Amino acid sequence: MTNNNWRKPYWKLHLWMGLPFWAIIFFICITGTLAVVSYEITWLFNSGVRASGEAIYGVDELIKRIEEQVPNAKVLSISTLEPYLANLAYVSLPEHDFVQVWIDASTGIVGEVSIGHTFRSVIRAIHGWLLMPEIGGIFIGWYIVCFFSIPLFISLITGLIIFKNFWKSYKKPKIHTNKGSRPFWISLHKVGGIWAVWFGLIISITAMWFLVMMVLAEMGVPFEDVNKQVFISKKDLPIMKENEKIHFPNLDNSLKIANEKISGLSFIKLPSNAYEPLEISGTQRTLFFSDSVYLNPYTNEILEVRLGTNKSFLSATATFMRALHVGDFGGLWIKLIWFIFGLILSALVLSGMIMWHKRTSKKEEENAI
């Protein structure tokens, strides 16, 4: 083959990995991009989820105020997500088992009560399984979404092969803005592809892993570690009168005790029954893996400490791949990087289709003449 002829099979493969699937791959990419910053988009349009300033009220006071402002609410958990977001609590109501309540730790005011679907839950469901129903115990949508990571991965690799001297675009990226629309889209496609290839490989490889993981799970391979349940022994339960409400010790002190053991814990899961411990967890220590401290809710005695790094290989890989795929580590800056490069990846798919349309349109015009 001549200098360029050997690239032709790769160019055709690159073409056919994108052309038949461009619409659904674009849809999956753009919805995934929005899902990464779903909390931030909610923050932009809903003042009720915003933190108005520095936290003044502690956990005990926040739970008390939630119960005052949301009648019949039973708080299940409460956490601090980001400095710019209000604290997020999950509560149960008589008619609803799982309700989101946003409360500003600066004012102690409940700003938002979300019953049912939210923007975050909907956009993640659309991206994750295309809102397709479960069929015979199998989420077909999950398989479809993950399957399209394969043509995306092949497109990225073949794109590197067919783009001669692609590394030059890192030093001198050239986007032609004054040579017509087709040269513009071609140069944008090439430069965008080179700069976003690392991100595209992360997204496609992690999605292919999800596909492998689902197949293995169907075969009965366990991905979640089965840990011994932590519980309060009967002899350690407080003696209470009939219908007396359980009163836990100061939860702010519980949070302090847990953070003295492992710093950066901010998620508090309250016991659902008399035998269940108080669980305080967070990912700050490793960014990817959640550490947990279990305490006796009546005495604040530490019952057990579980480090997220003590997972089995499959469980650790599944956790790591998920965090890497969704940008759920490192806070706002990682989310913004994932969002920007998610837009570039989406634009790559769209620009590829535009290039093909312009190429075929030009050939049709020439044939007509």
Side-chain angles (χ1 to χ4, degrees):
M1 288 187 177
T2 62
N3 289 340
N4 290 322
N5 282 346
W6 69 270
R7 288 190 173 90
K8 284 187 178 180
Y10 295 102
W11 184 85
K12 289 182 179 179
L13 183 59
H14 181 78
L15 188 67
W16 287 108
M17 283 297 103
L19 268 182
F21 317 119
W22 78 271
I24 189 169
I25 293 177
F26 173 77
F27 183 77
I28 293 169
C29 287
I30 199 67
T31 52
T33 300
L34 294 175
V36 169
V37 290
S38 53
Y39 275 141
E40 287 66 31
I41 292 173
T42 305
W43 180 92
L44 281 174
F45 295 100
N46 187 345
S47 60
V49 306
R50 300 174 193 165
S52 60
E54 192 173 336
I56 295 174
Y57 297 101
V59 177
D60 283 293
E61 185 62 26
L62 291 178
I63 290 176
K64 178 183 175 183
R65 289 180 176 244
I66 288 172
E67 292 173 344
E68 289 173 353
Q69 296 173 53
V70 185
N72 301 314
K74 178 186 177 183
V75 179
L76 307 174
S77 67
I78 187 167
S79 60
T80 303
L81 299 174
E82 299 287 356
Y84 48 85
L85 291 172
N87 285 57
L88 174 60
Y90 283 95
V91 309
S92 64
L93 297 174
E95 303 85 12
H96 305 280
D97 294 330
F98 217 51
V99 177
Q100 284 188 0
V101 175
W102 295 88
I103 182 166
D104 189 349
S106 180
T107 63
I109 296 174
V110 171
E112 175 72 15
V113 178
S114 300
I115 298 174
H117 295 297
T118 63
F119 171 74
R120 178 177 172 83
S121 66
V122 170
I123 197 68
R124 293 179 74 180
I126 292 173
H127 172 72
W129 62 90
L130 306 175
L131 293 180
M132 294 182 70
E134 180 183 358
I135 301 175
I138 298 175
F139 286 97
I140 301 298
W142 283 107
Y143 283 94
I144 292 173
V145 170
C146 292
F147 169 79
F148 283 108
S149 63
I150 298 172
L152 177 61
F153 176 79
I154 295 173
S155 293
L156 291 165
I157 298 301
T158 53
L160 290 177
I161 294 171
I162 63 178
F163 186 7
K164 291 190 296 184
N165 303 324
F166 67 84
W167 54 87
K168 291 182 179 180
S169 287
Y170 290 115
K171 293 183 178 180
K172 294 181 180 179
K174 291 181 181 180
I175 298 177
H176 303 298
T177 57
N178 56 355
K179 294 184 179 181
S181 61
R182 188 164 177 265
F184 167 75
W185 287 110
I186 291 173
S187 60
L188 183 66
H189 188 77
K190 288 181 176 180
V191 172
I194 292 306
W195 280 88
V197 67
W198 66 272
F199 179 76
L201 289 174
I202 286 175
I203 297 302
S204 57
I205 290 171
T206 51
M208 285 190 289
W209 164 254
F210 297 152
L211 182 61
V212 171
M213 189 173 74
M214 288 187 292
V215 172
L216 292 176
E218 291 291 336
M219 296 168 61
V221 177
F223 278 84
E224 291 298 325
D225 294 333
V226 180
N227 295 309
K228 184 180 178 182
Q229 187 177 0
V230 181
F231 63 93
I232 314 297
S233 63
K234 191 172 182 178
K235 65 180 179 64
D236 293 329
L237 294 177
I239 299 174
M240 300 177 65
K241 297 178 182 178
E242 188 176 354
N243 298 323
E244 182 182 351
K245 186 178 179 181
I246 297 175
H247 292 282
F248 300 128
N250 188 292
L251 289 175
D252 294 297
N253 193 37
S254 304
L255 187 62
K256 181 182 177 183
I257 291 170
N259 275 276
E260 286 173 353
K261 200 72 177 176
I262 303 173
S263 63
L265 306 183
S266 60
F267 178 84
I268 301 173
K269 181 178 179 293
L270 300 176
S272 61
N273 58 63
Y275 297 94
E276 195 170 281
L278 176 69
E279 180 183 353
I280 301 178
S281 57
T283 59
Q284 185 173 310
R285 185 179 69 90
T286 63
L287 297 182
F288 293 97
F289 305 106
S290 179
D291 301 314
S292 297
V293 175
Y294 297 87
L295 299 97
N296 184 319
Y298 313 109
T299 64
N300 269 341
E301 173 194 359
I302 293 178
L303 301 175
E304 189 169 332
V305 176
R306 288 180 180 169
L307 299 179
T309 46
N310 291 342
K311 289 176 173 282
S312 66
F313 173 77
L314 283 178
S315 179
T317 303
T319 302
F320 176 77
M321 289 292 195
R322 181 205 163 274
L324 200 58
H325 186 83
V326 303
D328 190 15
F329 65 98
L332 178 61
W333 287 109
I334 294 296
K335 289 182 182 181
L336 290 177
I337 291 170
W338 256 234
F339 175 70
I340 290 168
F341 280 94
L343 289 178
I344 295 173
L345 191 63
S346 302
L348 281 177
V349 180
L350 186 61
S351 62
M353 190 59 204
I354 292 172
M355 286 163 52
W356 174 254
H357 173 71
K358 290 186 175 295
R359 179 187 178 91
T360 52
S361 297
K362 185 178 180 181
K363 284 185 177 181
E364 287 174 1
E365 289 175 4
E366 291 174 352
N367 292 335
I369 295 172

